[in-house]
Amino acid sequence: MEKKIRVEIGNIPEELIIQILMRLPVKSLFRFKCVSKLYLSLITDPNFALSHLKLSPARLLYLPRNAYASQTLSIDLEEDASLPHAPLNPSFLTPNSFCDIKGSCRGFLLLRHSIKHLYLWNPSTNVHKPIPSLLRHERETDFYVFGRPIFYGFCYDPLKDDYLVVVAYFHVRSYFSLRANAWCQIDEEDAHVMSGGSRTGTLFNDIIHWLALRDDVGVRVILSFDPIQRSFSEVVPLPADFNQDHRACNLCVLGGFLGLYVAENNATRIWIMKEYKEQSSWTMSTVVAFDNLPTKSLSPICTTKSGDIVGKDCDTGLVRFNVEGKLLEHVSYSNDPHGCNAATYRESLFSLPC
């Protein structure tokens, strides 16, 4: 007769329990809160939430631009992309209305919904919060202010335990503090007028980066925002041989490095900055020929543990290719004619400050 082994919770060392719990998904942890007072105490500890975030594998959020809730998916980057994925159903979004991802930080995503409405959303817990609009006179269908693009970003200030939503356009540079629940304008005498480039910031080293065009000199620069200093700067250089005539180019984060991708000559070329802020450390890492891509377009998003690069085409598809530029996979989860959004995030137990 097979002997049944029963392990009492009290016989398991607390350190081992913590290590096991830290590797569980958020939904499982919510259920485990009911197991005992010990589990509840451990899981609700802020230090546990931070350790859990660091161990959580990166996931990819797939969001059609028309906010089809049933087609909003959380994708495991290490699994076969063709496998079925459960929808997240962000019910607070109005169906069939424009939605765009404008940032990702500590498990939260910044969404711009119906053009001028902003939300912070934790896909793992479905916690969401509307952000008061800064652009009070923006037209419903307008993406620009004074003919200039609006630059968005989202970051975290660890010293003040504060999340910041950053908006910049024309000479105006502001951020919304979740802890203060208010917009704050940054007064900078040398604030240059920015245009072109990406309207969505890339978070790297806890600092937001945008590739933007400076109108006064007509050249592209990397504009950054430091959440601790609450200030903008242009201290991150582009590659020395960067061609300013490039039109299809943007920033990304790949393999733990700040990256730059450029579409030129029927291919997308990806640069990696091996040492942050060191111009000489920019290195060409991958070239992906458009002949290998179904839609002749590629926006790299992230890398997998095996080193494969995952990106988005100009339609509704996701592509995966290796460092040699060979296409490995192409999958589409939506039929939205306006395309899709995709961004990485990690499962998080964090809540937003009141």
Side-chain angles (χ1 to χ4, degrees):
M1 179 182 293
E2 184 178 349
K3 182 182 293 186
K4 294 183 179 180
I5 301 177
R6 182 176 180 181
V7 180
E8 297 290 342
I9 293 177
N11 296 331
I12 304 177
E14 185 173 314
E15 294 78 9
L16 180 57
I17 294 176
I18 293 174
Q19 291 299 319
I20 295 173
L21 292 177
M22 283 195 303
R23 288 161 174 79
L24 295 178
V26 167
K27 288 184 178 180
S28 298
L29 290 174
F30 273 26
R31 292 195 295 267
F32 272 82
K33 285 182 180 181
C34 304
V35 171
S36 68
K37 291 182 179 180
L38 172 62
Y39 278 36
L40 176 62
S41 174
L42 293 175
I43 296 171
T44 55
D45 186 325
N47 292 324
F48 177 89
L50 181 59
S51 299
H52 178 268
L53 178 73
K54 293 178 179 178
L55 290 175
S56 294
R59 301 186 67 85
L60 191 71
L61 183 85
Y62 181 92
L63 176 67
R65 291 192 185 277
N66 268 356
Y68 297 113
S70 63
Q71 296 178 3
T72 301
L73 307 173
S74 177
I75 300 172
D76 188 335
L77 293 169
E78 307 306 324
E79 291 185 353
D80 188 339
S82 61
L83 294 175
H85 301 276
L88 291 173
N89 291 319
S91 57
F92 62 95
L93 299 178
T94 305
N96 301 332
S97 57
F98 182 88
C99 192
D100 208 4
I101 300 174
K102 290 300 180 184
S104 175
C105 178
R106 285 167 57 96
F108 287 93
L109 296 166
L110 173 63
L111 305 180
R112 186 183 64 172
H113 181 49
S114 297
I115 305 302
K116 59 184 178 181
H117 300 292
L118 294 175
Y119 286 93
L120 290 180
W121 176 44
N122 184 335
S124 305
T125 62
N126 206 32
V127 169
H128 58 276
K129 177 181 176 63
I131 303 298
S133 177
L134 174 68
L135 310 171
R136 300 182 185 277
H137 303 292
E138 183 187 6
R139 295 197 306 272
E140 183 88 14
T141 58
D142 198 358
F143 289 85
Y144 299 84
V145 174
F146 307 129
R148 307 292 177 181
I150 306 168
F151 295 89
Y152 293 91
F154 179 43
C155 57
Y156 175 72
D157 179 353
L159 297 185
K160 297 182 178 180
D161 185 27
D162 194 8
Y163 293 88
L164 305 178
V165 175
V166 183
V167 173
Y169 61 91
F170 202 59
H171 287 292
V172 178
R173 296 180 180 181
S174 304
Y175 63 86
F176 182 84
S177 163
L178 267 290
R179 189 158 292 282
N181 195 36
W183 283 100
C184 304
Q185 185 165 330
I186 301 174
D187 295 321
E188 295 182 336
E189 294 182 358
D190 60 344
H192 304 290
V193 178
M194 299 291 176
S195 63
S198 171
R199 293 189 290 270
T200 300
T202 299
L203 190 65
F204 179 73
N205 277 357
D206 299 323
I207 295 174
I208 309 172
H209 301 77
W210 298 269
L211 186 62
L213 179 68
R214 268 186 57 173
D215 281 10
D216 58 334
V217 290
V219 298
R220 280 188 173 86
V221 297
I222 296 179
L223 178 68
S224 62
F225 176 80
D226 188 322
I228 295 178
Q229 301 297 326
R230 308 279 170 111
S231 63
F232 289 83
S233 65
E234 299 173 19
V235 297
V236 181
L238 286 165
D241 55 351
F242 177 76
N243 186 347
Q244 288 289 338
D245 294 331
H246 291 316
R247 294 187 178 275
C249 51
N250 207 343
L251 302 174
C252 58
V253 177
L254 299 175
F257 300 102
L258 184 65
L260 168 70
Y261 63 92
V262 177
E264 61 174 353
N265 300 328
N266 298 317
T268 292
R269 303 178 187 277
I270 302 174
W271 297 73
I272 295 296
M273 178 180 267
K274 293 296 183 68
E275 295 183 31
Y276 187 56
K277 296 184 180 180
E278 290 293 332
Q279 186 180 46
S280 60
S281 71
W282 281 108
T283 305
M284 179 79 72
S285 66
T286 307
V287 178
V288 183
F290 285 165
D291 292 340
N292 297 330
L293 301 176
T295 59
K296 314 302 180 187
S297 174
L298 171 67
S299 300
I301 300 173
C302 60
T303 53
T304 65
K305 291 180 180 179
S306 61
D308 294 338
I309 300 176
V310 176
K312 184 174 75 73
D313 62 19
C314 65
D315 195 8
T316 60
L318 296 177
V319 295
R320 183 192 298 255
F321 52 94
N322 59 23
V323 292
E324 286 77 30
K326 180 183 178 181
L327 179 66
L328 303 176
E329 200 170 21
H330 176 252
V331 181
S332 179
Y333 304 95
S334 167
N335 55 3
D336 189 339
H338 298 91
C340 69
N341 299 270
T344 58
Y345 76 100
R346 295 181 185 275
E347 288 204 350
S348 167
L349 290 163
F350 290 120
S351 57
L352 294 170
C354 299

